[in-house]
Amino acid sequence: MKRALPVLVLSIAGLVPVWRYAPSPEAVTAPAASSEASVAPAAPSGGSTVAGPTVGTEKGPVQVEVTFEERRITAVRVLQQPDHPQTTAAVPRLIEETLDAQSADVDTVSGATITSDGYRESLQAAIDAQAAQGAGA
């Protein structure tokens, strides 16, 4: 019992830096994409950039911008996200999974469930808008 209090105090002291950690803002975006917020040609090769709608969540707004080459997702950029360390840490994982999956079918990031849901909703709307634009062309 004499060891329990020091172990508890040291455990909490060791976790404080983890809770306070905030990744640098540079880690928030995927490969560079156009800053335009609407469907617009990104390059002569037939690429386009589509911004999804802003999705209001309990933690704050989430909005993504997706760059397509043909039907392939080549980049995702988060235009709006909640200002929260777990969200900031989750965004690069969501982007990486999106590029791997080539769809909005990505796993929820633990600790950022609400942001993950908003991200997927905005992403799916951007993908749907791209598909509608492609079908109309």
Side-chain angles (χ1 to χ4, degrees), residues 36-40 48-55 62-68 70-73 75-79 98 102-104 118-134:
E36 296 176 7
S38 60
V39 176
S48 64
T49 301
V50 180
T54 300
V55 176
V62 178
Q63 182 183 25
V64 300
E65 178 181 76
V66 185
T67 302
F68 297 91
E70 299 292 322
R71 293 181 180 191
R72 183 162 177 75
I73 299 171
V76 178
R77 192 166 72 118
V78 176
L79 301 177
T98 300
Q102 290 295 303
S103 73
Y119 173 91
R120 279 193 302 267
E121 186 177 334
S122 184
L123 176 64
Q124 186 62 57
I127 292 169
D128 292 346
Q130 171 66 16
Q133 179 191 23

Side-chain angles (χ1 to χ4, degrees), residues 9-106:
V9 169
L10 291 173
S11 296
I12 292 172
L15 288 174
V16 168
V18 173
W19 289 326
R20 295 184 49 98
Y21 173 74
S24 64
E26 295 86 41
V28 174
T29 60
S34 171
S35 62
E36 296 176 7
S38 60
V39 176
S45 63
S48 64
T49 301
V50 180
T54 300
V55 176
T57 70
E58 295 172 28
K59 302 289 184 182
V62 178
Q63 182 183 25
V64 300
E65 178 181 76
V66 185
T67 302
F68 297 91
E69 291 290 332
E70 299 292 322
R71 293 181 180 191
R72 183 162 177 75
I73 299 171
T74 57
V76 178
R77 192 166 72 118
V78 176
L79 301 177
Q80 294 184 60
Q81 71 181 41
D83 184 23
H84 195 273
Q86 283 138 333
T87 295
T88 304
V91 166
R93 288 182 53 193
L94 291 166
I95 291 171
E96 181 180 342
E97 285 191 30
T98 300
L99 295 173
D100 288 344
Q102 290 295 303
S103 73
D105 186 20
V106 296

